[in-house]
Structures are given as structure tokens and as C-alpha cells.
Amino acid sequence: MTVRTGVIGTGVMGAAHARWLAGSVSGCELTAVYDIDAGQADSVATECGARMFDDPVVLIKDDDVDAVLVASSDATHEQFVLACLAAGKPVLCEKPLAPDVAGCERVLAAQAEAGASLTTVGFMRRYDAGYLAMRDVVQDGSLGRPLVLHCVHRNASPVAAASSTTLITSSAVHEFDVVHWLLDEEIATVTVHRSRPASAAAGTQDPMLLVLTTASGAIVSAEVFTTAAYGYEVRCELVAERGTLLLDDPAPVVLRRDRQAGRGLPADWIPRFAQAYQRELQDWIQAVAVEGPARGATAWDGYLAALVSAAAVAALETGLPQHVRVPERPALYR
Ligand code: ISE
């Protein structure tokens, strides 16, 4: 079966997804695109040979669309995921599933009603070779119990009109999912420490340092710095009982010139995670084709990340540690 896909939101991320679905992912075809900016949608539609829609809900219901990728602005994710669930269509939603906990709860309820796990959340780091290698070592237990995790998340510049809250719900949220997925446990508490803001921070709390503890007692430091100027960089180091694991910048080539040695850094996350994104898309398409459960992050994972985001926003506002209260997972919720 060829999966006919539609993309809602063709900004930087959505356009990249559209190109991959049209060009490098097998077993699928890009048939439809929509963007609030019709010119943007039109140019992606023309480039990728897809139909441009002027109504996202019409796109979702269209007979030539089997599955939908949502990459519109964060605040609109929930409404489009709900429309996909109402139409009984699988949906890959870019992170966050919704910026707030209530939105994720509505998605979980709609999915339970649909009676199928139709939602995948785009936490692409789960498909990155480096993070996967780290997870293998954590799982084989050879290093003993994880004790400390240090995460660094730096952007050259923030994506759109960023606020301190969106630095948490849109950027730090990757770290929340990584901690949960890598250590296979839930985050129990969050504290947010403020540095003095960078000159380019434009009124936001940038950088910030989040300290998390996990249910089993590991501790995590996560630096989020989105106006780092020099380039995009994600690092992660695990300290365990019998050794450490370091996910460093993966650029394979070291350039030596003028008495200096150095590795290039990408301008943003797309080159850094291009392979991971394409693996994520391939995996999703395969799951849709066989009507199997989605294998990436689930709606429940998106909900867990939103619970931590909400606690982090409260921690930032109050300056106090916050507990993350995770309710019992109802059997139907994935
Ligand atoms: C952006 O939306 C992403 O998804 C990137 O992966 C992340 O690194 C960046 O901070 C976000 O703003």
C-alpha cells in the first residue's frame, strides 16, 4: 500500500517534512498540503507535486489523504489532531502534542473514543543514532544504574516570537521526553534556575537551567539556551555507577587549518537531526501501512512531556521546586 499523506503547516519544519515525504521516504506519496500562508503552501505544493488546500479540515477529510502530518504552530496542534481522530486517520504531530496539559488530555480522551492509537508525537531524537546507542547501553545494564544526566540544548536563535514559556514547552520539552525515554522512567520534580538573561534574549529567561529528579532518584541538569548565536548544538552525558556515556556533536570531519582544529556546527536542528527525522517518518509510514500501532512517541508520551512542561513553567514563575503528578494511565490511553 502507498500511504497518501497530507502536511498541515509548511513553515520551516513542515516544508522539510513535505520534501522528505515526497522524495526520500518510501511507501508514501505527498498528496496534500495546507498552510495559513497560502503562498508558502503553494510553493511547497508546486515543488513536491502535491495539491494545495485552503482549508485544513477539508484536507484531513479528503479521500486522497490516508494520514496527516501536523507541523503548524504549537497552539494549533490539538485542533488538527482532534480532527484527524474524528476522521479516523493516523496523525504524526510535531512536538508538543499541545502546549498545555488540558489539550493533551482532550487528545487522549478523543483517542480512547476512537478506540485506536492513531497519534504519534514527533520526538525525533528517539530515532537519532547517538541517542539510540546511549539507550542500548542504559538498557543492557553494563554501566550500572544511571545517576546523573547532563543535557545541553542550544539554538543559534529562537524560532519565532519566543517567550520564556515557549522556551520550555517547545525547546526544553525535547529534554523531558529524552529523560523519560532514555531512563525509562518518569520525571518526579522540576526546579528552574535563572541566569542573567543573554543580551539577545529579548525579555525572555534565556538561558535557563532546569534541574529534574526522576522517580528512581537520578538527577538531571538541562541547559536551554536559544540565543547562543554560534550554532545549534545538543549534547548529553550520562554518569552511571561504572562509567559514563557522552553524546557529543556528531560532525564526523575535523578541519585543521591556520593552526586550529575544529568541527562544523549546523545553523539549526534540521541538519543535525535530518536522519532521525527521516527514520521517524519511515517508521510512521510503515506503521500506517500495516495498520500497526505507531512506534514513535505516543499521545501518552506527549501528555507526560506536557505535565513536566507545566511543572517547569510553574517552577520558573515561583522559583520553587515543583512535583510532577502523573495520574494512573487508563488502559486505553497510549
Ligand atoms: C524547535 O522547535 C525544535 O523542534 C528543535 O528540535 C529544537 O531544538 C528547538 O529548540 C525548537 O525550537
Side-chain angles (χ1 to χ4, degrees):
M1 165 195 181
T2 298
V3 179
R4 296 162 308 166
T5 56
V7 171
I8 295 183
T10 55
V12 176
M13 197 63 245
H17 281 306
R19 289 183 191 112
W20 287 320
L21 288 169
S24 56
V25 177
S26 61
C28 71
E29 194 186 329
L30 180 76
T31 51
V33 297
Y34 163 83
D35 195 277
I36 193 163
D37 174 345
Q40 172 70 24
D42 186 42
S43 84
V44 174
T46 308
E47 179 189 336
C48 298
R51 231 166 96 207
M52 177 191 139
F53 283 69
D54 52 20
D55 182 332
V57 177
V58 174
L59 179 155
I60 290 168
K61 291 183 177 161
D62 193 88
D63 287 341
D64 285 338
V65 172
D66 302 313
V68 179
L69 189 149
V70 174
S72 48
S73 57
D74 294 1
T76 64
H77 288 181
E78 177 197 345
Q79 73 190 74
F80 296 138
V81 171
L82 290 177
C84 291
L85 295 175
K89 295 193 180 176
V91 53
L92 170 52
C93 178
E94 260 304 333
K95 56 83 228 171
L97 177 56
D100 61 328
V101 171
C104 294
E105 284 171 346
R106 287 189 285 271
V107 170
L108 285 169
Q111 186 159 265
E113 199 165 310
S117 290
L118 294 171
T119 313
T120 303
V121 181
F123 284 123
M124 79 299 184
R125 291 188 190 178
R126 292 174 175 228
Y127 291 87
D128 176 68
Y131 277 110
L132 280 163
M134 285 186 87
R135 190 165 184 256
D136 284 348
V137 178
V138 171
Q139 285 189 340
D140 76 21
S142 55
L143 291 187
R145 290 180 309 164
L147 303 173
V148 184
L149 192 69
H150 298 289
C151 305
V152 170
H153 179 148
R154 298 194 190 126
N155 295 60
S157 54
V159 192
S163 65
S164 301
T165 299
T166 61
L167 297 190
I168 292 172
T169 58
S170 190
S171 292
V173 70
H174 279 293
E175 311 309 323
F176 304 154
D177 185 63
V178 157
V179 171
H180 157 63
W181 170 83
L182 191 63
L183 304 183
D184 197 18
E185 61 171 327
E186 273 146 29
I187 293 166
T189 68
V190 189
T191 313
V192 180
H193 299 270
R194 299 164 178 262
S195 78
R196 69 173 159 234
S199 312
T204 65
Q205 181 49 56
D206 191 47
M208 61 176 90
L209 182 68
L210 298 96
V211 177
L212 319 171
T213 59
T214 68
S216 76
I219 189 161
V220 180
S221 69
E223 175 203 309
V224 174
F225 182 20
T226 68
T227 55
Y230 69 86
Y232 181 80
E233 187 170 31
V234 160
R235 290 205 301 259
C236 185
E237 182 178 23
L238 175 75
V239 181
E241 288 172 311
R242 288 188 288 279
T244 70
L245 274 171
L246 177 66
L247 175 93
D248 204 354
D249 184 274
V253 175
V254 177
L255 171 67
R256 291 187 167 79
R257 195 174 64 188
D258 301 332
R259 293 175 300 286
Q260 302 237 351
R263 295 189 288 188
L265 285 171
D268 63 33
W269 62 93
I270 295 187
R272 166 64 183 85
F273 287 108
Q275 273 197 338
Y277 280 118
Q278 289 171 80
R279 286 190 192 125
E280 173 186 66
L281 291 173
Q282 191 64 71
D283 196 33
W284 177 60
I285 291 299
Q286 220 158 301
V288 172
V290 300
E291 290 183 30
R295 281 164 279 186
T298 62
W300 181 260
D301 296 321
Y303 170 61
L304 290 179
L307 286 174
V308 184
S309 288
V313 171
L316 177 69
E317 280 165 4
T318 60
L320 298 170
Q322 301 290 318
H323 285 275
V324 181
R325 301 193 196 287
V326 181
E328 190 80 358
R329 172 159 72 175
L332 273 171
Y333 285 7
R334 276 195 86 249

